[in-house]
C-alpha cells in the first residue's frame, strides 16, 4: 500500500466483490492486493479474504472483511461530480441496479450499504449561483428529486 492515508471500509465477507464492482463502474478505479487471513478470526477462517486494497476514482481504499457488527451509514459517502446527464444516469443505474437503493437529492446506496452522492457539476453551479433567487429555485428543485435531472435543475435556475 503506497498511500500514507487510506480509507478503510468495513464489509461482511464482501470486500472483494465490492472492490471489483467499484473498479468496473468508476473511472480511475482498480483492485490491488488481496490479503488472506493467516489464521482464524472472529468473523472468518484461515485463508478467507481478510482485506482488499483498491482504488475508487483515484482514492486509495482498503476493504476489511470484519463481519456483520458494523454497518455503513450516511455519515460517510463518496461524492461523485458528474459532467452530464449520461454520466449521472450511468453511475446511478449501476449502483441502484446492482442491488442498491435510491434516496433523495442525488444520494443512493450500493448493495453493501455504502452511500454515494451522484452530483452533477451543473447542480453544484446552480445552487452556488450568485443570484440568490436562482440558487433557491435550483435548490428547491433538487429537494424534490431522487436522481438529479440536470435539465430540470437548469430550468429552475433560469426561472
Amino acid at each position: 500500500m503506497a498511500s500514507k492515508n487510506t480509507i478503510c471500509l468495513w464489509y461482511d465477507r464482501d470486500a472483494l466483490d465490492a472492490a471489483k464492482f467499484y473498479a468496473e463502474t468508476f473511472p480511475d478505479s482498480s483492485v490491488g492486493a488481496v490479503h488472506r487471513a493467516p489464521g482464524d478470526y472472529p468473523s472468518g477462517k484461515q485463508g478467507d479474504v481478510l482485506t482488499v486494497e483498491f482504488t475508487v476514482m483515484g482514492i486509495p481504499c482498503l476493504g476489511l472483511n470484519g463481519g456483520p457488527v458494523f454497518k455503513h451509514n450516511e455519515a460517510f459517502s463518496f461524492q461523485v461530480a458528474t459532467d452530464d446527464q449520461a454520466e449521472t444516469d450511468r453511475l446511478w443505474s449501476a449502483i441502484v441496479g446492482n442491488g442498491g437503493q435510491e434516496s433523495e437529492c442525488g444520494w443512493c446506496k450500493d448493495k453493501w450499504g455504502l452511500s454515494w452522492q451522484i452530483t452533477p457539476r451543473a447542480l453544484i453551479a446552480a445552487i452556488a449561483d450568485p443570484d440568490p433567487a436562482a440558487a433557491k429555485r435550483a435548490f428547491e428543485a433538487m429537494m424534490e428529486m431522487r436522481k438529479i435531472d440536470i435539465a430540470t435543475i437548469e430550468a429552475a435556475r433560469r426561472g
Side-chain angles (χ1 to χ4, degrees), residues 92 95-96 101-103 106-110 114-116 118:
W92 182 273
I95 293 167
V96 172
Q101 66 185 59
E102 295 183 354
S103 190
W107 288 70
C108 57
K109 285 185 182 181
D110 65 28
L114 189 60
S115 292
W116 297 83
I118 308 303

Side-chain angles (χ1 to χ4, degrees), residues 9-25:
L9 300 168
W10 187 292
Y11 294 88
D12 181 16
R13 301 191 173 275
D14 294 334
L16 183 56
D17 290 340
K20 288 178 180 178
F21 172 75
Y22 305 146
E24 292 168 1
T25 303

Side-chain angles (χ1 to χ4, degrees), residues 1 5 7 21 23 25-26 34 36 49-50 64-65 71 76 83-84 86 91 103 107 116 119 125 150 156:
M1 190 170 290
N5 186 10
I7 294 171
F21 172 75
T25 303
F26 298 99
V34 176
R36 297 192 174 274
V49 173
L50 180 61
L64 169 66
N65 281 328
K71 307 285 186 205
F76 176 88
D83 293 323
D84 55 32
L91 295 177
S103 190
W107 288 70
W116 297 83
T119 309
I150 295 171

Side-chain angles (χ1 to χ4, degrees), residues 8-157:
C8 182
L9 300 168
W10 187 292
Y11 294 88
D12 181 16
R13 301 191 173 275
D14 294 334
L16 183 56
D17 290 340
K20 288 178 180 178
F21 172 75
Y22 305 146
E24 292 168 1
T25 303
F26 298 99
D28 193 22
S29 300
S30 61
V31 177
V34 176
H35 303 281
R36 297 192 174 274
D40 292 351
Y41 60 108
S43 61
K45 302 286 183 201
Q46 180 178 345
D48 289 352
V49 173
L50 180 61
T51 62
V52 179
E53 295 176 22
F54 60 99
T55 302
V56 177
M57 295 174 287
I59 299 171
C61 299
L62 180 75
L64 169 66
N65 281 328
V69 176
F70 298 110
K71 307 285 186 205
H72 297 290
N73 66 50
E74 292 81 357
F76 176 88
S77 65
F78 281 103
Q79 184 178 43
V80 182
T82 56
D83 293 323
D84 55 32
Q85 193 66 51
E87 183 181 21
T88 301
D89 293 347
R90 182 185 73 77
L91 295 177
W92 182 273
S93 295
I95 293 167
V96 172
N98 187 46
Q101 66 185 59
E102 295 183 354
S103 190
E104 289 83 23
C105 304
W107 288 70
C108 57
K109 285 185 182 181
D110 65 28
K111 74 179 186 179
W112 301 280
L114 189 60
S115 292
W116 297 83
Q117 297 176 59
I118 308 303
T119 309
R121 293 181 196 279
L123 171 63
I124 297 165
I127 63 175
D129 192 298
D131 175 356
K136 184 178 183 197
R137 288 190 303 269
F139 181 78
E140 288 173 347
M142 177 205 64
M143 293 299 291
E144 300 295 319
M145 296 179 184
R146 289 187 172 270
K147 177 179 68 177
I148 303 301
D149 181 291
I150 295 171
T152 302
I153 293 295
E154 289 175 344
R157 183 181 187 183

